[in-house]
Amino acid sequence: MITILSGSPRKNSNTLRVATAIKNHILELNNDEIVHVIDFNQFDIPSMNSGRVDPNNLSPFQANLFNSSKESDLIFILTPEYNWFPSAEIIQMVHTMAAPAFKDMWNNKVFATCGISNGRGGRMPAVQLSYTINKILNVFNCESMVSPKIFESQFTDKALDENGFSLGNNEYMAGLQAFIDFNLKLKNRWILTDK
């Protein structure tokens, strides 16, 4: 199973366009693959100063996020770039769920990061997430890896329509498909079938 985290809180966001495009491409390659997109438009993880997440009493969004991530071998983490940083929701997810109670969503996985912009941007949040996830894997001694192949989705709304289909920018699509294909190969090499 593959999970795609669409880390924008906005409805019908550019980040969701990229998440849908990734899902579309994976299913074109293998229609039997199970691919879940977690839309952070439904995000409800409280900030650290206003409450904790109870692992035994998760909201529907939290349970979907945890269970889908736990069951996946490959997790794409997508975030819009806000002033050179990942979204507050992605950061809050890391603050809350990088904890012993949620270790299963980090262990035995490949993580691939992508930053989204409607202009030139996307690199910094993807790189920052790579560093952060590596730190989590180190602290919790997870047998996982962060992919070296990131994707910067630039001028996203001019490259993809609201259903994740190409608007005709062949260079953009070649880059996106190379990102997806690389990480699918990495997952197949890294993840053992008899975990």
Side-chain angles (χ1 to χ4, degrees):
M1 189 163 91
I2 296 168
T3 291
I4 305 167
L5 305 183
S6 178
S8 172
R10 294 180 178 163
K11 191 171 184 180
N12 302 318
S13 66
N14 286 331
T15 306
L16 188 58
R17 290 183 188 208
V18 179
T20 305
I22 292 172
K23 180 178 181 177
N24 292 344
H25 184 65
I26 292 170
L27 293 177
E28 282 175 15
L29 296 173
N30 180 1
N31 199 41
D32 294 328
E33 185 68 69
I34 298 169
V35 184
H36 288 173
V37 173
I38 309 294
D39 185 354
F40 276 46
N41 177 247
Q42 308 298 319
F43 185 87
D44 65 358
I45 297 173
S47 64
M48 295 299 278
N49 64 351
S50 61
R52 298 246 179 222
V53 171
D54 179 356
N56 299 311
N57 189 26
L58 299 174
S59 72
F61 172 83
Q62 296 161 11
N64 190 23
L65 171 65
F66 175 69
N67 292 323
S68 185
S69 298
K70 178 177 74 169
E71 297 301 321
S72 291
D73 296 325
L74 173 59
I75 300 176
F76 290 93
I77 303 182
L78 283 55
T79 180
E81 179 173 317
Y82 294 139
N83 297 320
W84 303 285
F85 284 96
S87 70
E89 290 75 16
I90 286 287
I91 293 169
Q92 185 57 35
M93 178 202 73
V94 169
H95 282 322
T96 300
M97 304 193 94
F102 301 109
K103 180 180 176 179
D104 287 344
M105 70 184 287
W106 304 100
N107 201 23
N108 295 314
K109 324 229 168 282
V110 171
F111 293 91
T113 62
C114 173
I116 289 91
S117 176
N118 62 358
R120 292 199 187 281
R123 175 177 295 176
M124 287 309 298
V127 170
Q128 289 164 344
L129 283 174
S130 296
Y131 292 153
T132 302
I133 296 164
N134 266 313
K135 179 66 173 177
I136 294 166
L137 304 182
N138 172 56
V139 168
F140 290 111
N141 200 31
C142 292
E143 294 184 6
S144 297
M145 72 177 306
V146 179
S147 172
K149 183 88 166 164
I150 66 171
F151 185 65
E152 304 163 43
S153 179
Q154 300 183 353
F155 301 103
T156 304
D157 55 335
K158 295 167 186 62
L160 297 171
D161 71 13
E162 60 277 359
N163 297 308
F165 293 114
S166 175
L167 292 173
N169 184 329
N170 293 332
E171 186 177 356
Y172 176 94
M173 292 307 294
L176 179 62
Q177 290 170 6
F179 168 69
I180 300 164
D181 295 346
F182 180 96
N183 287 300
L184 289 171
K185 267 189 216 171
L186 193 61
K187 171 191 74 98
N188 292 335
R189 289 182 178 180
W190 180 255
I191 302 298
L192 300 174
T193 54
D194 59 342
K195 289 187 211 178

Coordinates of all heavy atoms in Angstrom, one line a residue, residues 10-69:
R10 N -5.9 23.9 2.5 CA -6.8 24.5 1.6 C -7.6 23.5 0.8 O -7.1 22.5 0.4 CB -6.1 25.5 0.7 CG -5.5 26.6 1.4 CD -4.7 27.5 0.4 NE -4.2 28.7 1.1 CZ -3.2 29.4 0.6 NH1 -2.7 29.2 -0.6 NH2 -2.7 30.4 1.3
K11 N -8.9 23.8 0.6 CA -9.7 23.0 -0.2 C -9.3 23.1 -1.7 O -9.0 24.2 -2.2 CB -11.2 23.4 -0.1 CG -12.2 22.4 -0.6 CD -13.6 22.8 -0.2 CE -14.5 21.7 -0.8 NZ -15.9 22.0 -0.4
N12 N -9.3 21.9 -2.4 CA -8.9 21.9 -3.8 C -7.6 22.6 -4.1 O -7.4 23.4 -5.0 CB -10.0 22.5 -4.7 CG -11.3 21.8 -4.5 OD1 -11.4 20.6 -4.4 ND2 -12.4 22.5 -4.4
S13 N -6.6 22.3 -3.2 CA -5.3 23.0 -3.3 C -4.4 22.5 -4.4 O -4.7 21.4 -5.0 CB -4.5 22.8 -2.0 OG -4.2 21.4 -1.8
N14 N -3.4 23.3 -4.7 CA -2.4 22.8 -5.7 C -1.7 21.5 -5.2 O -1.3 20.6 -5.9 CB -1.3 23.9 -5.9 CG -1.8 25.0 -6.8 OD1 -2.7 24.8 -7.6 ND2 -1.3 26.2 -6.6
T15 N -1.5 21.4 -3.9 CA -0.9 20.2 -3.3 C -1.8 19.0 -3.6 O -1.3 17.9 -3.9 CB -0.7 20.4 -1.7 OG1 0.0 21.6 -1.5 CG2 0.0 19.3 -1.1
L16 N -3.1 19.1 -3.5 CA -4.0 18.0 -3.8 C -3.9 17.7 -5.3 O -4.0 16.5 -5.6 CB -5.4 18.4 -3.4 CG -6.4 17.2 -3.5 CD1 -6.0 16.0 -2.6 CD2 -7.8 17.7 -3.0
R17 N -3.7 18.6 -6.1 CA -3.5 18.3 -7.6 C -2.3 17.4 -7.8 O -2.4 16.5 -8.5 CB -3.3 19.6 -8.4 CG -4.5 20.5 -8.5 CD -4.2 21.7 -9.4 NE -5.3 22.7 -9.3 CZ -5.6 23.5 -10.3 NH1 -4.9 23.6 -11.4 NH2 -6.6 24.3 -10.2
V18 N -1.2 17.7 -7.1 CA 0.0 16.9 -7.2 C -0.2 15.5 -6.6 O 0.1 14.5 -7.2 CB 1.2 17.6 -6.6 CG1 2.5 16.7 -6.7 CG2 1.5 18.9 -7.2
A19 N -0.9 15.5 -5.5 CA -1.2 14.2 -4.8 C -2.0 13.3 -5.8 O -1.8 12.1 -6.0 CB -2.0 14.4 -3.5
T20 N -3.0 13.9 -6.4 CA -3.9 13.2 -7.4 C -3.1 12.7 -8.6 O -3.3 11.6 -9.1 CB -5.1 14.1 -7.8 OG1 -5.8 14.5 -6.6 CG2 -6.1 13.3 -8.6
A21 N -2.2 13.6 -9.1 CA -1.4 13.2 -10.2 C -0.5 12.1 -9.9 O -0.3 11.1 -10.7 CB -0.5 14.4 -10.7
I22 N 0.1 12.0 -8.7 CA 0.9 10.9 -8.2 C 0.1 9.6 -8.2 O 0.5 8.6 -8.7 CB 1.6 11.2 -6.9 CG1 2.6 12.3 -7.0 CG2 2.2 9.9 -6.3 CD1 3.2 12.8 -5.7
K23 N -1.1 9.7 -7.6 CA -2.0 8.6 -7.5 C -2.3 8.1 -9.0 O -2.3 6.9 -9.2 CB -3.3 8.9 -6.8 CG -4.2 7.7 -6.7 CD -5.4 8.1 -5.8 CE -6.4 6.9 -5.7 NZ -7.5 7.2 -4.9
N24 N -2.7 9.0 -9.8 CA -3.0 8.6 -11.2 C -1.9 7.9 -11.9 O -2.1 6.8 -12.5 CB -3.4 9.9 -12.0 CG -4.6 10.6 -11.6 OD1 -5.5 10.0 -10.9 ND2 -4.8 11.8 -12.1
H25 N -0.7 8.4 -11.7 CA 0.4 7.7 -12.4 C 0.7 6.3 -11.8 O 1.0 5.4 -12.6 CB 1.7 8.6 -12.3 CG 2.9 8.0 -13.0 ND1 2.9 7.9 -14.4 CD2 4.1 7.6 -12.6 CE1 4.1 7.4 -14.7 NE2 4.8 7.2 -13.6
I26 N 0.6 6.2 -10.5 CA 0.9 4.9 -9.9 C -0.2 3.9 -10.4 O 0.2 2.7 -10.7 CB 0.8 5.0 -8.3 CG1 2.0 5.8 -7.8 CG2 0.8 3.6 -7.7 CD1 2.0 6.2 -6.4
L27 N -1.4 4.3 -10.5 CA -2.5 3.4 -10.9 C -2.4 3.1 -12.4 O -2.8 2.0 -12.8 CB -3.8 4.0 -10.6 CG -4.1 4.0 -9.0 CD1 -5.5 4.7 -8.8 CD2 -4.0 2.7 -8.4
E28 N -1.8 4.0 -13.2 CA -1.5 3.7 -14.6 C -0.5 2.6 -14.7 O -0.6 1.7 -15.6 CB -1.0 4.9 -15.3 CG -2.1 5.9 -15.7 CD -1.5 7.2 -16.3 OE1 -0.3 7.2 -16.7 OE2 -2.3 8.2 -16.4
L29 N 0.5 2.6 -13.8 CA 1.5 1.6 -13.8 C 1.1 0.3 -13.3 O 1.5 -0.8 -13.7 CB 2.7 2.1 -13.0 CG 3.5 3.3 -13.5 CD1 4.5 3.8 -12.5 CD2 4.1 3.1 -14.9
N30 N 0.2 0.3 -12.2 CA -0.3 -0.9 -11.6 C -1.7 -0.6 -11.0 O -1.8 -0.1 -9.9 CB 0.7 -1.3 -10.5 CG 0.2 -2.6 -9.8 OD1 -0.8 -3.2 -10.1 ND2 1.0 -3.0 -8.8
N31 N -2.7 -1.0 -11.8 CA -4.1 -0.8 -11.3 C -4.5 -1.5 -10.1 O -5.5 -1.2 -9.5 CB -5.0 -1.1 -12.5 CG -6.4 -0.5 -12.3 OD1 -6.5 0.7 -11.9 ND2 -7.4 -1.2 -12.6
D32 N -3.7 -2.5 -9.7 CA -4.0 -3.3 -8.5 C -3.4 -2.7 -7.2 O -3.7 -3.1 -6.1 CB -3.5 -4.7 -8.6 CG -4.2 -5.5 -9.7 OD1 -5.4 -5.2 -9.9 OD2 -3.6 -6.4 -10.3
E33 N -2.5 -1.7 -7.4 CA -1.9 -1.0 -6.2 C -3.0 -0.3 -5.4 O -3.9 0.3 -5.9 CB -0.9 0.0 -6.7 CG -0.1 0.6 -5.5 CD 0.8 -0.4 -4.8 OE1 1.8 -0.8 -5.4 OE2 0.5 -0.7 -3.6
I34 N -2.9 -0.3 -4.1 CA -3.8 0.4 -3.2 C -3.1 1.7 -2.8 O -2.0 1.7 -2.3 CB -4.1 -0.4 -1.9 CG1 -4.8 -1.7 -2.3 CG2 -4.9 0.4 -0.9 CD1 -4.9 -2.7 -1.1
V35 N -3.7 2.8 -3.2 CA -3.1 4.2 -3.0 C -4.1 5.0 -2.2 O -5.3 5.2 -2.7 CB -2.8 4.8 -4.3 CG1 -2.1 6.2 -4.0 CG2 -1.9 3.9 -5.2
H36 N -3.7 5.5 -1.1 CA -4.6 6.4 -0.3 C -4.1 7.8 -0.3 O -2.9 8.0 0.0 CB -4.7 5.9 1.2 CG -5.5 4.7 1.4 ND1 -5.5 4.1 2.6 CD2 -6.2 4.0 0.5 CE1 -6.3 3.0 2.5 NE2 -6.7 2.9 1.2
V37 N -4.9 8.8 -0.6 CA -4.6 10.2 -0.4 C -5.2 10.7 0.8 O -6.4 10.6 1.0 CB -5.0 11.0 -1.7 CG1 -4.8 12.5 -1.4 CG2 -4.4 10.5 -2.9
I38 N -4.4 11.3 1.7 CA -4.9 11.9 3.0 C -4.9 13.4 2.7 O -3.8 14.0 2.6 CB -4.0 11.5 4.2 CG1 -3.8 10.0 4.3 CG2 -4.6 12.1 5.5 CD1 -5.0 9.2 4.6
D39 N -6.1 14.0 2.6 CA -6.2 15.4 2.4 C -6.2 16.2 3.7 O -7.1 16.0 4.5 CB -7.5 15.6 1.6 CG -7.7 17.1 1.1 OD1 -6.9 17.9 1.5 OD2 -8.7 17.3 0.4
F40 N -5.2 17.0 3.9 CA -5.1 17.8 5.1 C -6.1 18.9 5.2 O -6.1 19.7 6.2 CB -3.7 18.3 5.3 CG -2.7 17.3 5.9 CD1 -2.7 16.0 5.5 CD2 -1.9 17.7 6.9 CE1 -1.9 15.1 6.1 CE2 -1.0 16.8 7.5 CZ -1.0 15.5 7.1
N41 N -7.0 19.0 4.3 CA -8.2 19.9 4.4 C -9.0 19.5 5.6 O -9.8 20.3 6.2 CB -9.0 19.9 3.1 CG -10.2 20.8 3.2 OD1 -11.3 20.3 3.1 ND2 -10.0 22.1 3.3
Q42 N -9.0 18.2 5.9 CA -9.7 17.6 7.1 C -8.9 17.7 8.4 O -9.4 17.1 9.4 CB -10.1 16.2 6.7 CG -10.8 16.0 5.4 CD -12.1 16.8 5.3 OE1 -12.9 16.8 6.3 NE2 -12.4 17.4 4.2
F43 N -7.7 18.2 8.3 CA -6.8 18.2 9.5 C -7.4 18.7 10.8 O -8.1 19.7 10.8 CB -5.6 19.1 9.1 CG -4.5 19.1 10.1 CD1 -3.5 18.2 10.0 CD2 -4.4 20.1 11.1 CE1 -2.4 18.2 10.9 CE2 -3.4 20.1 12.0 CZ -2.4 19.2 11.9
D44 N -7.2 17.9 11.8 CA -7.8 18.3 13.2 C -6.8 17.9 14.3 O -7.3 17.7 15.4 CB -9.1 17.6 13.4 CG -9.1 16.1 13.4 OD1 -8.0 15.5 13.3 OD2 -10.1 15.5 13.6
I45 N -5.5 17.9 14.0 CA -4.6 17.6 15.1 C -4.4 18.9 15.9 O -4.0 19.9 15.3 CB -3.2 17.1 14.6 CG1 -3.4 15.7 13.9 CG2 -2.2 17.0 15.7 CD1 -2.2 15.2 13.1
P46 N -4.6 18.9 17.2 CA -4.5 20.2 17.9 C -3.1 20.6 18.1 O -2.1 19.8 18.1 CB -5.1 19.8 19.3 CG -4.9 18.3 19.4 CD -5.0 17.8 18.0
S47 N -2.9 21.9 18.2 CA -1.5 22.5 18.5 C -1.1 22.0 19.9 O -1.9 21.6 20.7 CB -1.5 24.0 18.4 OG -2.3 24.5 19.4
M48 N 0.2 22.0 20.1 CA 0.7 21.4 21.3 C 0.2 22.1 22.6 O 0.1 21.5 23.7 CB 2.3 21.4 21.3 CG 2.9 20.5 20.2 SD 2.5 18.8 20.4 CE 3.7 18.3 21.6
N49 N -0.1 23.4 22.5 CA -0.5 24.1 23.7 C -2.1 24.0 23.9 O -2.6 24.6 24.9 CB -0.1 25.5 23.6 CG -0.8 26.3 22.5 OD1 -1.4 25.7 21.7 ND2 -0.6 27.6 22.5
S50 N -2.8 23.3 23.0 CA -4.2 23.2 23.2 C -4.7 21.8 23.4 O -5.9 21.5 23.3 CB -4.9 23.9 22.1 OG -4.6 23.3 20.8
G51 N -3.8 20.8 23.5 CA -4.3 19.5 23.8 C -3.4 18.4 23.1 O -2.5 18.8 22.3
R52 N -3.6 17.2 23.5 CA -2.8 16.1 23.0 C -3.7 15.2 22.2 O -4.9 15.2 22.4 CB -2.1 15.3 24.1 CG -1.2 16.1 24.9 CD 0.2 15.6 24.8 NE 1.1 16.4 25.5 CZ 2.3 16.7 25.1 NH1 2.7 16.4 23.9 NH2 3.1 17.4 25.8
V53 N -3.1 14.4 21.3 CA -3.8 13.3 20.6 C -3.7 12.0 21.4 O -2.6 11.6 21.8 CB -3.2 13.1 19.2 CG1 -3.8 11.9 18.5 CG2 -3.4 14.4 18.4
D54 N -4.9 11.5 21.7 CA -5.0 10.2 22.5 C -4.9 9.1 21.5 O -5.8 8.9 20.7 CB -6.3 10.2 23.2 CG -6.5 8.9 24.0 OD1 -5.6 8.0 23.9 OD2 -7.5 8.8 24.8
P55 N -3.8 8.3 21.5 CA -3.7 7.2 20.5 C -4.8 6.2 20.6 O -5.1 5.5 19.6 CB -2.4 6.5 20.9 CG -1.7 7.4 21.9 CD -2.7 8.4 22.4
N56 N -5.5 6.1 21.7 CA -6.7 5.2 21.9 C -8.0 5.8 21.6 O -9.0 5.1 21.7 CB -6.7 4.7 23.3 CG -5.4 3.9 23.7 OD1 -5.0 3.1 22.9 ND2 -4.8 4.3 24.8
N57 N -8.0 7.1 21.2 CA -9.3 7.7 20.9 C -9.0 8.8 19.7 O -9.2 10.0 19.9 CB -9.8 8.5 22.1 CG -11.2 9.0 21.9 OD1 -12.0 8.5 21.1 ND2 -11.5 10.0 22.7
L58 N -8.6 8.2 18.6 CA -8.3 9.1 17.4 C -9.6 9.5 16.7 O -10.5 8.8 16.6 CB -7.4 8.3 16.5 CG -6.0 7.9 17.0 CD1 -5.3 7.0 16.0 CD2 -5.2 9.1 17.4
S59 N -9.5 10.7 16.2 CA -10.6 11.2 15.3 C -10.6 10.5 14.0 O -9.6 9.8 13.7 CB -10.4 12.7 15.1 OG -9.3 12.9 14.2
P60 N -11.6 10.5 13.2 CA -11.6 9.9 11.9 C -10.3 10.3 11.0 O -9.7 9.4 10.4 CB -12.9 10.3 11.2 CG -13.8 10.5 12.4 CD -13.0 11.1 13.5
F61 N -10.0 11.6 11.0 CA -8.9 12.0 10.2 C -7.6 11.4 10.8 O -6.7 10.9 10.1 CB -8.8 13.5 10.2 CG -7.5 14.0 9.6 CD1 -7.3 14.1 8.2 CD2 -6.4 14.3 10.4 CE1 -6.1 14.6 7.7 CE2 -5.2 14.8 9.9 CZ -5.0 14.9 8.5
Q62 N -7.4 11.5 12.1 CA -6.2 11.0 12.8 C -6.1 9.5 12.6 O -5.0 9.0 12.3 CB -6.2 11.3 14.3 CG -6.2 12.8 14.5 CD -6.7 13.2 15.9 OE1 -6.9 12.3 16.8 NE2 -6.9 14.5 16.2
A63 N -7.1 8.8 12.7 CA -7.1 7.3 12.5 C -6.8 6.9 11.1 O -6.0 6.0 10.8 CB -8.5 6.7 12.9
N64 N -7.3 7.7 10.1 CA -7.0 7.4 8.7 C -5.6 7.7 8.4 O -4.9 6.9 7.8 CB -7.9 8.3 7.9 CG -7.9 7.9 6.4 OD1 -7.5 6.8 6.0 ND2 -8.2 8.9 5.6
L65 N -5.1 8.8 9.0 CA -3.7 9.2 8.8 C -2.7 8.1 9.4 O -1.8 7.6 8.7 CB -3.4 10.5 9.4 CG -1.9 11.0 9.6 CD1 -1.3 11.2 8.2 CD2 -1.8 12.3 10.4
F66 N -3.0 7.7 10.6 CA -2.2 6.7 11.3 C -2.2 5.4 10.6 O -1.2 4.8 10.3 CB -2.6 6.6 12.8 CG -1.8 5.5 13.5 CD1 -0.4 5.7 13.8 CD2 -2.5 4.4 13.9 CE1 0.3 4.7 14.4 CE2 -1.8 3.4 14.6 CZ -0.4 3.5 14.8
N67 N -3.4 4.9 10.4 CA -3.6 3.5 9.9 C -3.1 3.4 8.5 O -2.4 2.4 8.1 CB -5.1 3.1 10.0 CG -5.5 2.9 11.4 OD1 -4.7 2.4 12.3 ND2 -6.7 3.2 11.7
S68 N -3.4 4.4 7.7 CA -2.9 4.3 6.3 C -1.4 4.4 6.2 O -0.7 3.6 5.5 CB -3.5 5.5 5.5 OG -3.1 5.4 4.1
S69 N -0.8 5.3 7.1 CA 0.7 5.3 7.1 C 1.3 4.1 7.7 O 2.3 3.6 7.1 CB 1.1 6.5 8.0 OG 0.7 7.8 7.4

